[in-house]
Amino acid sequence: MNATKLEEIVSFLAEYQWIYKNSNTKFIKAGVLDDFPGDWGESLLKLSHEELNNIPFGQIPESLNENLKGFLRKIAELSICVPSVDFHESQSLKSIKGINPKKLQEISSLSRQIHKICQEREINYLVDLGCGLGYLCQMLFEKFNYKILGLECDPERVKTAKLRQDKLFPSSRESVKFLTHFITESSWEFIRQELSKAFQIDPDRVSLGLVGLHACGDLTVTSMRIFAITEAIRAAIVMPCCYHKMSIGEIGDKPVNFPLSQRLMGSFGRIPRGDGMACRPFLRLACQQPASRWKKMTEEEHKIHGKNMFQRALLDALVEEDQEVHRVRKSSERVNNGFDGAISGFEIREVTTNTAIPWNNEHRSKWKILCDKYPNGGEFSEYLTLLQTTIQETCENIILLDRKLYVEELSSAFQCTVVKILDADTSPRCTVLTATKS
């Protein structure tokens, strides 16, 4: 993963930020369907189901509008290559009670990647940040005999991890310890003390590794900062996820930890509207399902998804600025046609008081006006999803590249790599960020 195309990618995404800069429940209110090029939509309407499904995979129908073809070709041209690590197992994984097959694949693949890095650096002690129920900790102990301190902010999860350990992995009690702790950049002193008590070691005199499976929100960045300021930590091996849960600053909706690198900040500053990516909808798109899910959708599924997406956004477009639409019960996957069907399962609430407000005839009239304005609203909503699907990987890779550059900018002695350890069908968030010290 290199940064040679970074500024060109930022320029491209800044130009087309209407595709991703708004929540998918608010795109009608934000005027996204007005920004959607009409000739793009008209040419997409003529495609077969198979042609539509293949677009995110580089198969561009000749009948498409020329500008749209140029957009799709540019995405392919600006693609950032993330290398894959082949960890194919000759035998199928043995099932473990309480772990679904997807989770088992993730922890097995990540544990092998961790072991590979730690072997090279003679690391025998690990700290699992956000250890959850201890799945990764137990596999690292069972397979490779590491000493592990598992930290988790949820005390109930820590309690369950300990109960699970007593029941399924009693031999690990001396080597795997679980503690409740909310991880911050200042956590090293706590970690240092607990490692010393748990394993009778001087943490400053051994080589340590930080690990994390599905490091949500800011946790990946926090782990890299702990790695950077702590000499004893020789490696941090983390699988990031949930970018949209990153902390948002006090002013506006810009995330605190994106961008991080001077390189990306500079690109944002040099390009008009270049900082348009620094928003929660962009981060949410970056961690959505990959394109493989789109390819599997039937024609009927596309129709239902587009119609439901359109109708949900219509509801948001009907209410005032100081009001919000809330789901009150789960709706059927089937399309709820018409105003009465669409409002079933949703209510309006006043933002400051949370008071429920009934739907009325004024909302019904606005609904009809918008439906008349966007006669192909369901189809165009699904085409918006298509455009988002085509750039999803680019959005995620920009975030990962930014983190890699950030680590390497902190010190010339730091190296950072990004690799895929699973295919996207097995795990949508299948990349691992690894920081090491010379």
Side-chain angles (χ1 to χ4, degrees):
M1 175 181 264
N2 65 63
T4 56
K5 303 174 184 175
L6 184 59
E7 195 143 316
E8 198 173 353
I9 294 171
V10 172
S11 179
F12 175 78
L13 290 176
E15 180 181 356
Y16 292 101
Q17 61 183 269
W18 60 269
I19 294 172
Y20 60 79
K21 70 178 180 180
N22 299 285
S23 162
N24 276 355
T25 62
K26 303 183 184 300
F27 71 91
I28 292 177
K29 180 180 282 188
V32 174
L33 289 187
D34 299 321
D35 293 333
F36 200 112
D39 47 6
W40 287 23
E42 289 171 11
S43 66
L44 287 166
L45 282 168
K46 297 173 184 176
L47 297 184
S48 68
H49 168 246
E50 183 179 1
E51 287 175 320
L52 195 71
N53 274 16
N54 285 330
I55 285 177
F57 302 90
Q59 299 182 35
I60 304 174
E62 191 56 39
S63 62
L64 278 184
N65 169 269
E66 286 301 319
N67 287 333
L68 177 53
K69 285 197 284 189
F71 167 84
L72 296 171
R73 289 180 185 131
K74 194 67 176 176
I75 292 171
E77 179 187 323
L78 296 176
S79 171
I80 300 174
C81 178
V82 177
S84 297
V85 176
D86 183 12
F87 275 128
H88 176 72
E89 290 187 308
S90 57
Q91 298 179 348
S92 59
L93 290 169
K94 182 181 178 182
S95 63
I96 298 177
K97 186 177 180 181
I99 304 180
N100 63 47
K102 170 183 172 290
K103 176 72 75 176
L104 186 57
Q105 287 274 13
E106 288 174 340
I107 62 175
S108 180
S109 297
L110 181 56
S111 65
R112 289 194 301 274
Q113 178 72 353
I114 290 167
H115 182 57
K116 175 179 178 292
I117 301 299
C118 290
Q119 263 191 318
E120 294 168 353
R121 286 154 185 82
E122 299 181 344
I123 294 171
N124 298 309
Y125 296 90
L126 300 174
V127 182
D128 185 355
L129 304 181
C131 66
L133 303 184
Y135 296 147
L136 180 62
C137 293
Q138 296 295 358
M139 184 162 286
L140 285 164
F141 168 74
E142 291 289 316
K143 281 195 168 186
F144 307 113
N145 201 33
Y146 286 99
K147 307 280 188 183
I148 309 158
L149 180 66
L151 302 179
E152 169 59 48
C153 65
D154 184 347
E156 286 303 311
R157 289 192 170 196
V158 172
K159 181 180 177 181
T160 303
K162 290 179 178 179
L163 291 172
R164 183 173 175 273
Q165 181 179 43
D166 289 340
K167 184 177 181 180
L168 300 177
F169 306 98
S171 64
S172 73
R173 289 193 191 105
E174 296 304 312
S175 297
V176 180
K177 305 290 185 178
F178 297 108
L179 290 171
T180 304
H181 179 71
F182 183 82
I183 299 142
T184 71
E185 294 169 31
S186 303
S187 288
W188 169 243
E189 190 53 39
F190 174 85
I191 293 170
R192 185 180 175 280
Q193 292 175 8
E194 295 304 327
L195 283 170
S196 179
K197 286 192 291 186
F199 305 121
Q200 293 74 54
I201 60 171
D202 181 352
D204 294 317
R205 293 180 175 275
V206 297
S207 293
L208 302 170
L210 297 181
V211 301
L213 170 66
H214 294 164
C216 241
D218 298 302
L219 186 54
T220 298
V221 177
T222 300
S223 70
M224 295 300 155
R225 287 176 174 152
I226 296 173
F227 157 85
I229 63 176
T230 310
E231 178 62 27
I233 297 173
R234 309 304 300 173
I237 307 116
V238 180
M239 183 185 285
C241 74
C242 299
Y243 310 116
H244 63 292
K245 293 183 179 180
M246 285 196 279
S247 302
I248 298 299
E250 294 180 3
I251 301 174
D253 65 346
K254 299 200 180 299
V256 174
N257 287 319
F258 178 76
L260 287 169
S261 67
Q262 294 298 317
R263 180 77 181 273
L264 187 57
M265 287 182 189
S267 295
F268 278 13
R270 286 187 292 273
I271 293 167
R273 302 191 306 154
D275 63 349
M277 288 180 280
C279 63
R280 199 182 291 281
F282 176 86
L283 302 177
R284 184 175 293 279
L285 174 57
C287 59
Q288 281 184 188
Q289 293 285 340
S292 55
R293 183 182 179 186
W294 172 272
K295 191 168 187 176
K296 296 175 183 176
M297 291 179 71
T298 66
E299 189 170 1
E300 182 65 14
E301 286 171 335
H302 279 305
K303 180 180 177 181
I304 291 172
H305 180 267
K307 190 78 170 180
N308 284 339
M309 181 175 165
F310 177 60
Q311 291 188 344
R312 175 63 184 85
L314 279 178
L315 295 183
D316 255 77
L318 304 181
V319 303
E320 302 299 326
E321 291 298 327
D322 60 347
Q323 300 170 350
E324 290 180 342
V325 176
H326 289 260
R327 185 187 294 276
V328 291
R329 66 175 181 273
K330 189 173 181 179
S331 302
S332 166
E333 289 186 3
R334 296 178 61 83
V335 173
N336 294 311
N337 287 312
F339 176 75
D340 292 318
I343 64 174
S344 64
F346 293 94
E347 69 178 14
I348 310 168
R349 291 181 195 165
E350 207 275 328
V351 173
T352 55
T353 65
N354 204 35
T355 304
I357 299 168
W359 298 99
N360 56 42
N361 285 332
E362 184 179 351
H363 297 129
R364 188 185 298 274
S365 298
K366 288 181 180 178
W367 171 279
K368 185 178 185 309
I369 291 169
L370 289 171
C371 286
D372 290 342
K373 182 179 180 180
Y374 306 115
N376 296 115
E379 290 88 346
F380 274 59
S381 297
E382 191 67 349
Y383 299 154
L384 177 62
T385 304
L386 167 63
L387 298 179
Q388 292 172 348
T389 300
T390 62
I391 64 172
Q392 183 277 327
E393 187 176 74
T394 301
C395 295
E396 179 168 18
N397 286 346
I398 280 288
I399 296 171
L400 294 169
L401 179 57
D402 178 49
R403 293 176 176 184
K404 168 182 160 63
L405 291 170
Y406 170 71
V407 170
E408 293 175 342
E409 288 172 357
L410 290 174
S411 170
S412 59
F414 297 169
Q415 299 84 42
C416 192
T417 61
V418 181
V419 296
K420 290 183 179 179
I421 61 169
L422 289 166
D423 64 86
D425 285 335
T426 302
S427 175
R429 305 280 77 77
C430 58
T431 53
V432 174
L433 197 69
T434 299
T436 56
K437 292 170 181 167
S438 298

